[in-house]
């Protein structure tokens, strides 16, 4: 047994057990929290630490409301704006191994065809002019590997065929781009070692299993192609195990690979084996309660320092004694919240840390390891301080077929809770629910909020949307229905083929649970969600038209056949995975029939209750036509609907003027339907791009037709895990 394995035998929990102590601060005057404080642009988003530990970078709006990159000197607090595009928001940025050089991306109003730029931020030469690495229309650029050390980074571009990404090395000094992998075959799930060599590619076979390949000994590692002769099989992972199996990182010497491993257990393991030789597997950790959610590796030595398991909340397991004191300090600093190390300097002396909390926005700290001391930096939304925000309680319940599901309930901060002494003492389960703070004195108005994906999960964290809904007087129920990730492969795979069926029943069973326990008032429940959650909303409104008082569909698909027909090209390598999830293929008659039978479009005439539909015109994943056709079908049947289109957004809303308008539409709509509170809102208030394409108060008028943007779709495949951009 290796030393690593032994140490894992003495895992040490440092966080997760601490009880949370809510200290609600009363609202000034008991007023509503202004929408602006929750949905205006964050002053500190996408916060990062430079590899030398000297600089913090973040995104924030400039004086004209355009999202720019700012840097802040760690020792002197000097803050500087370093990007100067007066029109387009920055989508993301990263530091590199070359001091003073960063990379950033922008897309075209939500189309996810990211352009990639280099920026030299050395102070001698402002205003800094970005060097385009890829700004070709219709091409989706992404940094595939940045080791924070070399003068090169690896960049993926689907510049030849929209389905496949070639890989280029970009020299940060000379700006030279050279092809290192000519790809006509593999999806963009590639693994590079610490020296920027491509070592692992994978391919989905017809039966849904994933085949991993390593370079053949005969291949030229500097000029790889996707030709058969360049690759040999590494291993094959069954379709059941594949969702839990992933290469994570190479050891410092590039000889071993850490994997998240799905074989032989439901929740998965952390293993390490010699590159290309899975038979030498060593199990480092077996998950106990939920899947491993994150891994903390030393930035240069690549040793495993800690990991988290995430059931209701993340639990941290420290694997290496050298960081025990540091983690203990960070836990003690805020015992009620879970620390998250979001960045470390390459010398490991300086850490950037934040905390997961339901009733506080993200607050950032700089931890200096040699001083064992953290310095408070800033809050992502300091304007919320002093406001009473809602708590989120994780719990579990059983679906109708007995499957155990994890869920979260957020109660309005004003709702009085039952104490254990207030409930039937001979039912221990109910006493436990009361102890957890799950039972309000009176049934509440409630919003069932359905996550996207569907292969994602709801999490415990601060959310502007939850805070808004709770502040307006609604309980929020979030169910990790079957098909969700994070809870093991049985739960994940139990969703296969169950769109519109058991995945939907799980949501309804969650609602019944809330009604049965006096949490929600049956007559005052709305359903809402984005992407898959939008689909679930449309299914709910058309298949079970009496259950919900109203629904809010955000970028949801209405027809599973057209959804498959218009998948982004760079997701084509994963087409079989999508078919497996849906349980049917558009390419055969039985499959089409099955997809049709679960597509709300064909049941639109059954909708009885108010519906709000919101979509971004440039959405590459779920096309605007998914909403158009559903709204047209309602119109044909004289069913009222409000449909709001954002001309400069994609799969979700990102520009602050649009997120504010989105929130305004939603709270006004829910306010009317559930009789909750809402802050006044008028179209035009924020100069958003929102156009009302159909208005429920004018059901007889035809839908306003729009010219759909015809840019080709796209997104690095990895994006699929974030299928619904949260707000
Ligand atoms: C613990 O981490 C340190 C720093 O990476 C490393 O030198 C040491 O070998 C690690 N110990 C084990 C057992 O992995
Ligand atoms: C960045 O700009 C500075 C000042 O003009 C220059 O000295 C340096 O070489 C540049 N760095 C790179 C990587 O281009
Ligand atoms: C209290 O709970 C017990 C056990 O579940 C049940 O038998 C009993 O009927 C309940 N009493 C009331 C008043 O609901
Ligand atoms: C909206 O645009 C108008 C005209 O450009 C401007 O006067 C106004 O201040 C803007 N309002 C907001 C909230 O940005």
């Amino acid at each position: 047994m290796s030393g690593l394995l032994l140490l894992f035998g003495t895992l040490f929990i440092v966080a997760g057990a601490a009880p949370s102590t809510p200290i609600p601060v009363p609202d000034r005057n008991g007023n509503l929290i202004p929408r602006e404080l929750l949905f205006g642009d964050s002053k500190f988003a996408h916060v990062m630490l430079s590899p030398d530990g000297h600089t913090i970078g973040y995104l924030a709006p400039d004086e004209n409301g355009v999202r720019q990159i700012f840097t802040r000197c760690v020792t002197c607090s000097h803050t500087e704006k370093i990007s100067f595009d007066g029109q387009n928001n920055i989508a993301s940025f990263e530091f590199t191994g070359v001091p003073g050089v960063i990379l950033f991306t922008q897309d075209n109003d939500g189309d996810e065809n990211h352009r990639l730029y280099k920026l030299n931020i050395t102070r001698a030469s402002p205003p800094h002019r970005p060097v385009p690495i890829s700004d070709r229309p219709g091409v989706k650029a992404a940094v595939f590997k940045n080791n924070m050390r070399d003068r090169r980074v690896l960049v993926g571009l689907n510049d030849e065929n929209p389905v496949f990404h070639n890989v280029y090395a970009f020299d940060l000094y000379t700006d030279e781009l050279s092809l290192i992998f000519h790809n006509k075959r593999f999806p963009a799930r590639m693994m590079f070692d610490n020296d920027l060599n491509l070592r692992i590619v994978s391919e989905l076979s017809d039966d849904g299993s994933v085949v991993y390949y390593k370079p053949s000994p005969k291949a030229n590692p500097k000029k790889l192609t996707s030709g058969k002769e360049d690759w040999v099989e590494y291993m094959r992972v069954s379709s059941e195990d594949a969702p839990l199996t992933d290469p994570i990182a190479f050891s410092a010497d590039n000889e071993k690979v850490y994997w998240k491993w799905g074989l032989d257990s439901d929740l998965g393991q952390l293993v390490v084996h010699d590159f290309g030789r899975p038979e030498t597997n060593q199990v480092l950790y077996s998950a106990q309660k939920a899947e491993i959610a994150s891994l903390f590796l030393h930035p240069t030595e690549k040793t495993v320092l800690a990991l988290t398991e995430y059931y209701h909340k993340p639990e941290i397991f420290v694997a290496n004694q050298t960081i025990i004191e540091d983690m203990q300090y960070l836990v003690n600093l805020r015992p009620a919240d879970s620390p998250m190390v979001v960045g470390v300097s390459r010398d490991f002396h300086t850490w950037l840390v934040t905390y997961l909390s339901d009733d506080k926005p993200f607050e950032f700290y700089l931890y200096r390891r040699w001083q064992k001391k953290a310095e408070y930096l800033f809050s992502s939304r300091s304007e919320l301080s002093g406001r009473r925000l809602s708590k989120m309680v994780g719990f579990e319940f059983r679906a109708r077929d007995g499957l155990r599901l994890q869920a979260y309930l957020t109660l309005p901060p004003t709702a009085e809770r039952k104490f254990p002494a207030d409930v039937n003492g001979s039912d221990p389960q109910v006493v436990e629910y009361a102890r957890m703070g799950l039972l309000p004195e009176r049934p509440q108005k409630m919003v069932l909020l359905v996550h996207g994906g569907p292969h994602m999960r709801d999490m415990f964290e601060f959310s502007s949307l939850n805070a808004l809904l709770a502040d307006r007087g609604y309980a929020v129920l979030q169910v990790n229905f079957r098909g969700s990730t994070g809870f093991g492969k049985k739960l994940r795979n139990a969703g296969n083929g169950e769109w519109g069926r058991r995945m939907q029943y799980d949501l309804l069973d969650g609602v019944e649970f809330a009604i049965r326990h006096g949490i929600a008032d049956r007559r005052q429940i709305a359903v809402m969600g984005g992407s898959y959650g939008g689909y679930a909303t449309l299914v709910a409104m058309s298949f079970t038209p009496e259950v919900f008082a109203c629904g809010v569909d955000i970028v949801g698909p209405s027809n599973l056949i057209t959804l498959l027909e218009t998948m982004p090209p760079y997701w084509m390598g994963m087409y079989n995975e999508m078919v497996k999830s849906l349980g049917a293929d558009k390419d055969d008659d039985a499959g089409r029939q099955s997809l049709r039978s679960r597509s709300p479009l064909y049941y639109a005439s059954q909708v009885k209750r108010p519906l709000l539909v919101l979509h971004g015109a440039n959405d590459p994943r779920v096309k605007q036509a998914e909403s158009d056709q559903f709204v047209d079908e309602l119109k044909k049947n004289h069913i009222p609907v409000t449909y709001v289109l954002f001309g400069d957004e994609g799969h979700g809303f990102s520009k602050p003027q649009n997120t504010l308008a989105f929130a305004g539409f939603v709270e006004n709509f829910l306010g009317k339907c559930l009789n909750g509170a809402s802050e006044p809102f008028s179209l035009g208030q924020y100069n958003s791009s929102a156009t009302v394409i159909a208005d429920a108060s004018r059901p007889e008028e035809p839908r306003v037709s729009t010219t759909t943007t015809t840019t080709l779709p796209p997104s690095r495949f990895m994006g699929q895990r974030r299928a619904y951009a949260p707000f």
Side-chain angles (χ1 to χ4, degrees):
M1 249 193 270
S2 78
L4 199 64
L5 192 63
L6 271 174
L7 260 171
F8 269 91
T10 56
L11 281 171
F12 187 80
I13 303 187
V14 294
S20 58
T21 42
I23 315 168
V25 185
D27 288 348
R28 304 171 193 119
N29 317 320
N31 287 338
L32 295 182
I33 300 175
R35 196 186 296 136
E36 185 90 40
L37 300 195
L38 291 165
F39 287 88
D41 215 8
S42 162
K43 305 275 189 307
F44 294 98
H46 202 86
V47 185
M48 301 243 176
L49 182 67
S50 66
D52 60 10
H54 295 336
T55 310
I56 288 164
Y58 56 91
L59 297 180
D62 66 10
E63 57 286 357
N64 300 315
V66 180
R67 201 172 291 146
Q68 307 283 4
I69 309 166
F70 289 78
T71 53
R72 172 170 160 150
C73 155
V74 158
T75 46
C76 65
S77 293
H78 173 78
T79 296
E80 214 179 337
K81 181 169 100 165
I82 57 162
S83 64
F84 298 90
D85 184 330
Q87 298 285 312
N88 305 299
N89 289 328
I90 307 285
S92 69
F93 75 93
E94 57 194 278
F95 290 100
T96 67
V98 177
V101 173
I102 64 163
L103 304 172
F104 71 86
T105 67
Q106 294 175 304
D107 80 349
N108 312 291
D109 292 338
D111 72 351
E112 300 182 27
N113 280 328
H114 287 102
R115 290 171 273 127
L116 178 64
Y117 300 89
K118 165 193 150 180
L119 194 57
N120 182 345
I121 62 171
T122 314
R123 282 183 77 189
S125 58
H128 320 287
R129 192 164 294 127
V131 175
I133 300 172
S134 164
D135 59 359
R136 270 171 56 185
V139 170
K140 182 180 180 60
V143 177
F144 274 12
K145 180 76 181 183
N146 172 3
N147 65 5
M148 300 284 177
R149 186 189 76 194
D150 294 2
R151 59 183 284 166
R152 298 178 312 148
V153 293
L154 302 184
V155 170
L157 303 176
N158 57 343
D159 50 356
E160 194 176 335
N161 176 339
V163 180
F164 301 109
H165 277 78
N166 290 322
V167 182
Y168 296 83
F170 177 76
D171 188 303
L172 296 163
Y173 283 101
T174 64
D175 302 340
E176 198 185 334
L177 199 60
S178 42
L179 183 69
I180 65 153
F181 176 45
H182 190 208
N183 179 23
K184 297 180 169 183
R185 175 177 167 201
F186 297 110
R189 273 176 171 173
M190 302 168 193
M191 175 86 176
F192 305 87
D193 67 18
N194 302 305
D195 295 336
L196 305 180
N197 299 304
L198 177 57
R199 302 287 293 277
I200 305 174
V201 294
S202 65
E203 189 175 39
L204 206 58
S205 57
D206 287 341
D207 65 1
S209 59
V210 175
V211 188
Y212 287 91
Y213 298 91
K214 57 186 175 184
S216 135
K218 283 171 262 152
N220 173 0
K222 301 279 168 234
K223 269 247 173 304
L224 286 168
T225 73
S226 51
K228 285 214 175 336
E229 64 288 354
D230 276 8
W231 298 94
V232 293
E233 194 170 315
Y234 183 144
M235 67 174 181
R236 205 169 268 266
V237 180
S238 76
S239 70
E240 279 67 39
D241 297 339
L244 257 72
T245 306
D246 250 327
I248 299 171
F250 275 84
S251 58
D253 60 7
N254 294 322
E255 301 279 336
K256 291 173 186 285
V257 194
Y258 297 106
W259 289 73
K260 190 176 164 188
W261 199 250
L263 186 71
D264 296 330
S265 74
D266 182 40
L267 294 175
Q269 297 174 316
L270 175 68
V271 307
V272 64
H273 63 236
D274 297 342
F275 171 74
R277 300 181 55 219
E279 67 277 11
T280 63
N281 246 1
Q282 279 184 330
V283 176
L284 301 180
Y285 182 73
S286 294
Q288 306 293 310
K289 181 102 203 254
E291 286 173 35
I292 297 166
S294 65
L295 193 60
F296 185 13
L297 294 178
H298 190 282
T300 53
E301 296 173 22
K302 303 290 173 186
T303 46
V304 178
L305 301 173
L307 56 82
T308 61
E309 260 191 50
Y310 201 140
Y311 193 68
H312 297 313
K313 291 182 183 185
E315 282 186 321
I316 302 174
F317 295 82
V318 174
N320 185 316
Q321 296 294 334
T322 58
I323 62 155
I324 285 262
E325 268 182 69
D326 307 294
M327 295 309 292
Q328 197 64 60
Y329 171 86
L330 292 172
V331 167
N332 293 347
L333 186 64
R334 292 196 27 187
D337 305 319
S338 308
M340 265 171 51
V341 180
V342 291
V344 296
S345 61
R346 279 180 66 78
D347 63 12
F348 206 50
H349 292 338
T350 312
W351 299 6
L352 180 67
V353 177
T354 189
Y355 287 84
L356 282 182
S357 164
D358 45 358
D359 62 355
K360 270 187 219 76
F362 292 96
E363 295 179 319
F364 292 86
Y365 296 80
L366 196 75
Y367 176 67
R368 293 184 170 92
R369 222 179 149 223
W370 73 96
Q371 296 174 331
K372 296 269 181 282
K373 210 158 177 300
E375 171 197 349
Y376 176 83
L377 293 174
F378 41 68
S379 157
S380 58
R381 291 189 183 277
S382 59
E383 318 82 75
L384 285 171
S385 82
R387 297 283 171 170
R388 187 169 156 182
L389 300 174
S390 42
K391 306 288 296 175
M392 203 172 174
V393 181
F395 67 101
E396 45 186 48
F397 70 97
R398 287 195 186 271
R400 63 189 70 179
D401 60 1
L403 191 67
R404 196 182 62 181
L405 299 173
Q406 195 277 347
Y408 294 102
L409 180 73
T410 304
L411 286 172
T414 50
E416 299 290 340
R417 278 123 173 110
K418 282 182 186 157
F419 291 101
D422 301 339
V423 300
N424 181 350
S426 47
D427 189 336
Q429 185 64 74
V430 171
V431 174
E432 174 62 9
Y433 289 147
R435 196 198 55 76
M436 291 160 68
L438 213 55
L439 306 179
E441 285 276 8
R442 273 173 301 282
Q444 304 288 305
K445 312 172 204 293
M446 187 172 86
V447 177
L448 169 69
L449 187 58
V450 187
H451 71 67
H455 304 309
M456 304 207 305
R457 60 164 292 180
D458 280 310
M459 294 194 179
F460 176 90
E461 62 188 358
F462 172 77
S463 142
S464 287
L465 189 54
N466 285 42
L468 178 85
L469 294 172
D471 184 67
R472 297 332 188 219
Y474 313 115
V476 182
L477 176 66
Q478 294 166 280
V479 176
N480 280 313
F481 50 87
R482 70 193 68 197
S484 299
T485 51
F487 302 95
K489 63 192 182 198
K490 279 213 259 341
L491 190 97
R492 159 67 172 71
N493 293 330
N496 289 340
E498 300 294 345
W499 291 51
R501 291 197 279 246
R502 286 199 176 95
M503 289 161 86
Q504 192 75 15
Y505 307 157
D506 289 347
L507 298 169
L508 297 172
D509 293 348
V511 168
E512 276 309 314
F513 172 91
I515 295 169
R516 193 163 66 245
H517 289 90
I519 296 166
D521 172 354
R522 186 184 290 284
R523 295 156 308 171
Q524 291 185 295
I525 303 176
V527 54
M528 168 168 169
S531 196
Y532 177 84
Y535 164 80
T537 297
L538 295 180
V539 170
M541 298 304 287
S542 53
F543 288 66
T544 53
E546 313 273 357
V547 174
F548 297 95
C550 55
V552 179
D553 156 35
I554 306 153
V555 302
S558 64
N559 181 345
L560 300 178
I561 297 171
T562 50
L563 178 71
L564 275 179
E565 283 169 351
T566 59
M567 261 171 67
Y570 42 81
W571 283 4
M572 281 309 163
M574 294 294 134
Y575 182 82
N576 290 341
E577 206 170 277
M578 189 68 181
V579 167
K580 180 143 186 123
S581 170
L582 287 164
D585 192 353
K586 64 177 169 52
D587 295 332
D588 60 76
D589 285 345
R592 287 181 87 83
Q593 191 166 342
S594 165
L595 293 170
R596 205 174 292 123
S597 75
R598 292 176 288 141
S599 293
L601 180 65
Y602 299 99
Y603 301 84
S605 65
Q606 300 180 25
V607 172
K608 287 205 173 79
R609 300 280 169 78
L611 178 65
L612 172 64
V613 176
L614 305 120
H615 216 121
N618 304 321
D619 188 340
R621 308 180 190 200
V622 176
K623 305 295 181 296
Q624 181 198 323
E626 293 295 321
S627 289
D628 285 353
Q629 59 191 353
F630 193 79
V631 168
D632 285 343
E633 206 55 33
L634 293 177
K635 291 247 153 217
K636 215 183 285 170
N637 290 283
H638 309 288
I639 299 168
V641 58
T642 296
Y643 176 20
V644 181
L645 187 70
F646 293 83
D648 56 357
E649 293 282 1
H651 197 59
F653 315 121
S654 131
K655 299 186 168 124
Q657 66 271 25
N658 294 333
T659 54
L660 283 162
F662 155 79
F665 276 108
V666 167
E667 67 167 308
N668 273 246
F669 175 82
L670 291 175
K672 283 198 197 94
C673 148
L674 298 181
N675 204 21
S678 80
E679 185 186 340
F681 165 70
S682 61
L683 185 63
Q685 183 176 351
Y686 302 110
N687 289 349
S688 83
S689 69
T691 314
V692 178
I693 301 291
D695 184 342
S697 62
R698 299 191 196 79
E700 301 309 323
E701 285 181 11
R703 168 168 75 82
V704 178
S705 74
T706 54
T707 40
T708 315
T709 325
T710 48
T711 37
L712 264 171
S715 145
R716 184 152 68 128
F717 168 72
M718 316 301 180
Q720 197 172 32
R721 286 173 204 169
R722 226 181 115 254
Y724 168 50
F727 306 103

